[in-house]
Amino acid sequence: MYKIMTAGPTQVRENVRMARSLPCTNPDLDMEFFDFYKETCSMLSKALNTRNRALILGGEGILGLEAACASLTEPGDKVLVLDNGVFGKGFADFVKIYSGQPVMYTVDYRNPIDVDELAAYLEKNHDFKYATMIHCDTPSGVINDVAAISRLLDQYGIMSVADSVAGLFGQPLDLANSKIDILCGGSQKALSAPPGLTMLWVSQRAFDAMVNRKTPIASFYANILLFKDYYEKKEFPYTMPISDITGLRQALENYLEDKDVYKRHSSIAAAVRKALAAGGVKLYLESGYSNTVTALEVPEGITDMQLLRGMEKDYNIMISGCFDVLAGKVVRIGHMGENAYPDEVADTLRALQGTLEKLNVPVKCDMAEVFRKAL
């Protein structure tokens, strides 16, 4: 088995694995499961300090991104797509699938969105039903101030959809201090449950927009509105993956018990960046570094696959490559959730250094040692 230090999925704690092995009931018929699901959703709302309703959908995190667009978009709707990363750009595809008109706001991928520059743009361009944005763009690890951006959008009556699949539970986000209408998360990142579940936090304004549509939502599986009255009707739109949800509940309880979770993620991320810089390994970003993912440029003279496969073969450690415009250019260390502990990250840096040196790429220091001293 590899040590999985990727940008998600992450390693899974033993008590989460055991929770997933508990006996299953029939989630369509057992009234106690409806209570368990509702209670778990309430815990998710409390975890992000919001009255917005949380929902758990059966599908990997990207389901939430599509469901948000499917449920809000009607034919011809103009949607502002805030694009400073691969997943930021990708929202446009979902908007087009559901016959909306995406309008791209594309800026530098190496830095976060400048809120003041966006404000100047919106003064002249604000005829949008909603806007999409990324909290943490997984391919680069850039962090955007989605709370501030959502408040800015709200000044023009523009709803907002935010993808925080790679940010939530490792990067602070106070939903009560935002105007985000649909926030999307995934089970397999900093919450450290296995992949397979989407989490959504949905505002009343977003539900009202879905109810008052002129046209039906052009999807069944990606239709958020089908969950609106699940508890009152005691009816889910499809059979819920009960073992996955039981594991998620345990992972959520692990998170809520960890009072230093954000401090731990922040200190480890800063120490990783310091170690890489000291070793002469170039970071992809110029600013806006996340606490969950660090992207480093592949050194000249080697390929990303040589680096990735070398770490797997010689050290049994797996980190992430990348895709789209960053394919072959960067690799990524996921220091989130169960990965975000000193021993795990030190082992990863040691393996990275050993592999680079075997590929004749010089490293200027003992990066694992620099990392530990920086904590």
Side-chain angles (χ1 to χ4, degrees), residues 14-15 36 48 70 88 98 112 144-145 156 184-185 201 227 231 240 259 263 270 289 303 329 342 362 364 366:
E14 183 68 10
N15 66 353
F36 179 84
L48 296 190
Y98 295 100
N144 291 310
D145 189 348
Y156 296 95
C184 308
W201 289 257
F227 280 86
Y231 189 75
M240 301 305 292
K259 303 306 179 185
K263 180 180 178 181
Y289 304 102
T303 68
K329 298 178 181 179
K364 297 179 180 178
D366 183 329

Side-chain angles (χ1 to χ4, degrees), residues 93-221:
D93 295 330
F94 295 128
V95 173
K96 286 186 283 189
I97 286 171
Y98 295 100
S99 301
Q101 298 179 20
V103 177
M104 305 302 292
Y105 178 84
T106 301
V107 292
D108 181 11
Y109 277 27
R110 294 181 185 262
N111 294 285
I113 291 170
D114 186 302
V115 179
D116 292 334
E117 290 179 3
L118 177 61
Y121 172 85
L122 287 171
E123 284 182 6
K124 300 178 181 179
N125 306 275
H126 49 256
D127 182 23
F128 304 107
K129 182 176 184 178
Y130 69 94
T132 64
M133 52 188 165
I134 304 292
H135 184 210
C136 174
D137 199 69
T138 321
S140 69
V142 71
I143 280 289
N144 291 310
D145 189 348
V146 290
I149 293 171
S150 70
R151 294 193 298 270
L152 173 62
L153 292 164
D154 183 62
Q155 293 176 20
Y156 296 95
I158 303 170
M159 292 185 292
S160 56
V161 172
D163 166 10
S164 188
V165 171
L168 284 181
F169 305 107
Q171 192 81 33
L173 179 59
D174 182 357
L175 267 186
N177 191 37
S178 83
K179 291 292 184 179
I180 297 171
D181 290 282
I182 302 180
L183 179 69
C184 308
S187 57
Q188 76 273 27
K189 303 286 186 174
L191 196 56
S192 286
L197 295 176
T198 281
M199 296 165 286
L200 295 176
W201 289 257
V202 185
S203 73
Q204 187 59 50
R205 177 167 63 170
F207 275 123
D208 290 343
M210 297 174 210
V211 169
N212 295 321
R213 291 172 57 110
K214 297 181 179 66
T215 58
I217 294 173
S219 176
F220 179 84
Y221 207 78

Side-chain angles (χ1 to χ4, degrees), residues 218-257:
S219 176
F220 179 84
Y221 207 78
N223 184 342
I224 297 172
L225 199 55
L226 294 178
F227 280 86
K228 181 175 180 291
D229 300 317
Y230 77 89
Y231 189 75
E232 292 77 10
K233 295 179 178 179
K234 296 296 186 290
E235 179 179 294
F236 291 111
Y238 49 80
T239 300
M240 301 305 292
I242 181 171
S243 295
D244 290 343
I245 293 172
T246 304
L248 178 79
R249 171 65 168 266
Q250 182 60 62
L252 179 58
E253 290 177 357
N254 292 344
Y255 161 81
L256 292 171
E257 291 169 2

